[in-house]
Amino acid sequence: TNDNQTTFDIIIVGSGAGAMASSIVASDHGLSVLVVEKSGKFGGTSALSGGGIWIPNNDHFKAKGGQDSYQQAFDYLKASTENRVSDSRLHAYLTHAPEMIRYLERKSRVRYAVAEKYPDYYPHLEGSLAGGRTLDPEIFDTTCMGDEVENQLKASASTLLMGKIAWTARDAHKAMARERGWRLLLLKLIMKYKLDFGQRRKTRRDRRAALGSSLVASLRQSMTDRNIPLWLDTDFTDIVFSQDRVCGIEVVRDGEKQTLNAKLAVIFASGGFEQNQKLRDKYLPSPSNVKWSATPPGNNTGAALEAGIRAGANTDIMDWCWWSPTVKVPKEDKARGLFAERAFPGAIVVDGLGKRFVNEAAPYLEFGDAMYRNNAATDGKSLPAWVIFDANFRFNYAMGPFMPAQIQPDSRLPKGWLNTLYWKADSLDELAKQIKIDADGLSHTVERINRFATTGVDEDFGRGSNVFDRYYGDTNVKPNPCLAPIVKGPFYAMRIEAGDIGTKGGLLTNEHAQVMNTDNMPIAGLYAIGNCSASVMGQSYPGAGATLGPAMTFGYIAANHIAKDI
Ligand code: FAD
């Protein structure tokens, strides 16, 4: 390919994990593929993510003696999605997801390991497993990428050990749950980083990529192996039709308008609309703010969604995000998700009345949804909400951008954080006054949770009563690894928002990832995958990796479907 070529078999819009996986499969079918990315960096939210993929019935788990089956996964997914998604799409996902990852591991540089202990998010539903369906990327050495590694969107500091060292989700979990040997593990990881003298002389960037960064780097290098072009700074603006068939796209490339021709198909893989305040206001529950999102600013503004709608496409699940409570750290360009620390013992979340309203350890999607529900029930007193903890918690555990005080005491926190990101007081009453929430409510709530910590039973929300909650609990804390009393001053509050890690609704697709029009017919030559399509998970989040797993699987399905037509 040369840089001036304007005709390809397939053009893929966006450069997240789904887009890249799709380009590899299409190229292996002998098709010419172009990937266009509007920003100056490839990888999108996928590159900043955990990179986990939820693949029921996968080979890795089975190789380790794990038990899973198509039927069991189908029962679970059916129960999770509550009839919001057609059986044919659920079937397509469960059939092709294990196949997709088998293909990539055989043919490309992508490598995964099973997270045997990571439970499905709804342990109470039939067909759920206590671990084995989530796959976690192996470490990827980026040396082979040469300078191309600089074009990849950098992982957020929050996903790296001490803000700079690559670690797998399995290692991070071991450290957070303080499992046996966690200190030695940390020491090893730190030494490995420090002893990489060649790299340390040049940069603080770890040459070893983990999580979403590993996934995207390994996919990008697999594209390079196949000479698949990826154009940065190329902004999709509209679809081009010839008769009733999509035959290309319009882009603005390096500031100039251009038409690119797609002989067979266009695949939208350009993410959701979470970075577009107007579209948020139109579709999402209110209030909602682009600044609460943990996704890269400016990337996913819904261009494909709007173009699809103009072309007659149907949409679904438009009022849902992949919700996650987030914290806004001063000077950081995007919010940080609170995924794990809500389950650590000794931190509770309260609303403006000083009351708990949800099991803090609940999956992030349910937690975000609960913030909105409680906001409606309390006449607007749940956005923001507040996470409250004491000096014991602060000493032992991480919270948002805080490392445990035993590693990072308050004196080593950046100056601008006090009274913007967190508040601190000698008494709970004083803390409540500072953050303007009901002091009596808070005191009553803390009394209750302190009693629950002793008995081990959260009578209000059942926190710590299931295998998912306990995944991030502290195994050393008894009787309930997710409950500890809040007793020792100073007391802390951190402000949390109803954030997201992407929107969930979008163009409605069929089991082949074809975009459907409002008459329920496929729009010829148009496919959509990832967050610009309505999620195959409906309004649910059945397990870790339930956004990237489908993005990559439907990318694989789309490429195979297009190739079958020729
Ligand atoms: P993206 O990966 O965001 O890619 C879309 C790309 O399209 C972007 O680069 C964007 O710039 C580009 N684009 C947008 N508009 C245009 C246009 N007009 N023209 C050209 N290009 C365009 N999910 C999981 O399944 N597992 C996890 O472990 C996980 N961890 C996460 C951790 C964090 C901290 C966050 C924030 C998210 C996490 N997620 C996880 C969610 C997941 O990252 C996203 O849902 C997923 O990456 C979305 O993939 P996508 O391909 O749809 O979009």
Side-chain angles (χ1 to χ4, degrees):
T1 43
N2 70 52
D3 243 23
N4 298 320
Q5 187 178 340
T6 53
T7 301
F8 300 84
D9 290 325
I10 301 178
I11 299 175
I12 303 180
V13 181
S15 65
M20 289 183 166
S22 198
S23 77
I24 290 165
V25 180
S27 168
D28 289 354
H29 279 295
L31 304 177
S32 65
V33 196
L34 170 69
V35 174
V36 298
E37 164 58 47
K38 87 180 207 192
S39 74
K41 303 276 176 197
F42 64 82
T45 312
S46 305
L48 310 177
S49 75
I53 53 176
W54 190 71
I55 313 285
N57 208 15
N58 68 71
D59 295 347
H60 286 280
F61 186 44
K62 286 190 187 154
K64 293 208 157 182
Q67 298 274 322
D68 196 2
S69 71
Y70 171 91
Q71 192 56 46
Q72 192 175 348
F74 186 85
D75 290 345
Y76 177 65
L77 199 48
K78 185 83 186 151
S80 304
T81 50
E82 294 173 350
N83 289 325
R84 282 296 297 269
V85 184
S86 70
D87 281 5
S88 57
R89 288 177 70 209
L90 300 183
H91 174 71
Y93 183 60
L94 293 175
T95 309
H96 297 294
E99 210 177 278
M100 174 280 295
I101 195 60
R102 194 178 304 136
Y103 181 90
L104 286 180
E105 293 197 295
R106 257 187 220 153
K107 300 276 178 124
S108 81
R109 297 180 186 245
V110 171
R111 294 292 178 273
Y112 272 94
V114 61
E116 283 171 284
K117 292 184 188 163
Y118 210 152
D120 287 340
Y121 286 0
Y122 309 128
H124 56 286
L125 294 184
E126 183 168 342
S128 64
L129 284 189
R133 285 178 175 157
T134 295
L135 302 179
D136 173 30
E138 296 279 29
I139 296 285
F140 181 73
D141 187 333
T142 58
T143 313
C144 60
M145 295 173 79
D147 291 343
E148 185 63 1
V149 72
E150 301 301 332
N151 289 328
Q152 180 169 327
L153 197 60
K154 282 198 179 67
S156 308
S158 58
T159 61
L160 297 166
L161 172 60
M162 296 162 61
K164 56 188 179 190
I165 303 173
W167 57 346
T168 64
R170 286 153 291 145
D171 285 348
H173 174 253
K174 186 169 179 164
M176 279 191 284
R178 300 156 155 260
E179 282 177 8
R180 217 179 210 212
W182 70 276
R183 285 172 203 275
L184 186 65
L185 171 74
L186 290 193
L187 194 68
K188 272 191 192 158
L189 289 168
I190 294 168
M191 290 319 289
K192 202 170 220 167
Y193 173 86
K194 292 211 160 153
L195 293 175
D196 185 358
F197 295 122
Q199 183 82 352
R200 286 299 70 74
R201 265 195 299 274
K202 282 188 287 184
T203 165
R204 77 193 283 274
R205 182 173 183 148
D206 197 339
R207 79 166 80 222
R208 303 163 74 249
L211 308 168
S213 178
S214 159
L215 171 61
V216 165
S218 63
L219 284 166
R220 177 66 187 115
Q221 188 54 33
S222 305
M223 288 173 66
T224 306
D225 295 341
R226 291 162 170 80
N227 278 319
I228 302 171
L230 191 169
W231 292 357
L232 299 174
D233 298 307
T234 306
D235 190 2
F236 160 87
T237 53
D238 215 344
I239 310 170
V240 181
F241 279 88
S242 160
Q243 278 141 6
D244 284 339
R245 207 186 157 80
V246 173
C247 67
I249 59 171
E250 276 172 12
V251 296
V252 176
R253 187 179 181 201
D254 294 325
E256 270 183 44
K257 261 189 158 175
Q258 202 180 346
T259 302
L260 302 171
N261 310 305
K263 287 197 275 187
L264 298 176
V266 168
I267 302 176
F268 284 154
S270 50
F273 60 86
E274 69 276 359
Q275 287 295 330
N276 184 328
Q277 186 64 45
K278 272 200 186 129
L279 292 183
R280 291 185 82 102
D281 292 342
K282 181 166 176 187
Y283 293 114
L284 297 180
S286 164
S288 117
N289 194 321
V290 76
K291 295 204 174 100
W292 301 344
S293 180
T295 68
N299 269 10
N300 299 341
T301 50
L305 172 76
E306 293 190 293
I309 293 174
R310 285 196 297 274
N314 205 352
T315 58
D316 200 11
I317 335 237
M318 295 302 290
D319 52 348
W320 276 84
C321 281
W322 302 100
W323 303 116
S324 170
T326 55
V327 294
K328 263 312 283 168
V329 180
K331 296 195 182 147
E332 290 190 2
D333 66 347
K334 52 193 167 299
R336 293 199 194 197
L338 291 187
F339 300 113
E341 49 271 70
R342 291 172 286 110
F344 300 167
I348 55 167
V349 176
V350 298
D351 59 18
L353 305 172
K355 285 193 178 151
R356 293 173 70 215
F357 53 91
V358 64
N359 168 5
E360 289 86 349
Y364 30 102
L365 175 120
E366 274 66 30
F367 190 99
D369 186 38
M371 285 179 78
Y372 275 107
R373 282 172 196 269
N374 189 52
N375 200 52
T378 58
D379 215 4
K381 297 211 164 51
S382 196
L383 300 174
W386 302 89
V387 58
I388 309 283
F389 48 95
D390 73 354
N392 288 331
F393 182 98
R394 174 78 186 93
F395 183 79
N396 284 314
Y397 307 104
M399 176 55 73
F402 289 1
M403 298 283 279
Q406 55 184 303
I407 302 168
Q408 184 188 35
D410 289 357
S411 57
R412 303 242 306 262
L413 295 174
K415 288 274 174 309
W417 285 6
L418 187 64
N419 301 331
T420 51
L421 166 76
Y422 78 101
W423 284 256
K424 180 178 170 183
D426 288 333
S427 72
L428 284 165
D429 271 3
E430 175 55 28
L431 188 68
K433 213 182 286 165
Q434 283 189 22
I435 59 174
K436 301 188 179 67
I437 69 167
D438 189 301
D440 289 343
L442 179 64
S443 136
H444 179 73
T445 301
V446 169
E447 258 171 53
R448 262 181 98 70
I449 198 83
N450 288 355
R451 181 159 62 76
F452 300 162
T454 316
T455 61
V457 181
D458 169 9
E459 292 166 25
D460 295 334
F461 300 102
R463 173 168 166 183
S465 64
N466 68 55
V467 64
F468 173 74
D469 290 7
R470 290 194 296 272
Y471 179 65
Y472 284 121
D474 182 340
T475 46
N476 303 305
V477 169
K478 308 257 164 8
N480 183 329
C482 301
L483 294 180
I486 299 173
V487 282
K488 186 176 169 193
F491 300 93
Y492 296 81
M494 200 179 274
R495 181 187 159 116
I496 60 181
E497 318 289 356
D500 63 81
I501 55 171
T503 48
K504 205 175 203 310
L507 302 172
L508 184 65
T509 53
N510 65 7
E511 68 274 23
H512 307 301
Q514 292 174 289
V515 175
M516 306 299 279
N517 67 19
T518 44
D519 295 327
N520 211 27
M521 293 295 289
I523 297 176
L526 189 61
Y527 293 74
I529 62 172
N531 289 349
C532 66
S533 63
S535 173
V536 68
M537 301 298 163
Q539 77 300 337
S540 76
Y541 207 137
T547 91
L548 287 169
M552 291 164 68
T553 300
F554 283 99
Y556 169 84
I557 291 173
N560 285 330
H561 192 254
I562 296 163
K564 217 162 47 194
D565 265 6
I566 50 173

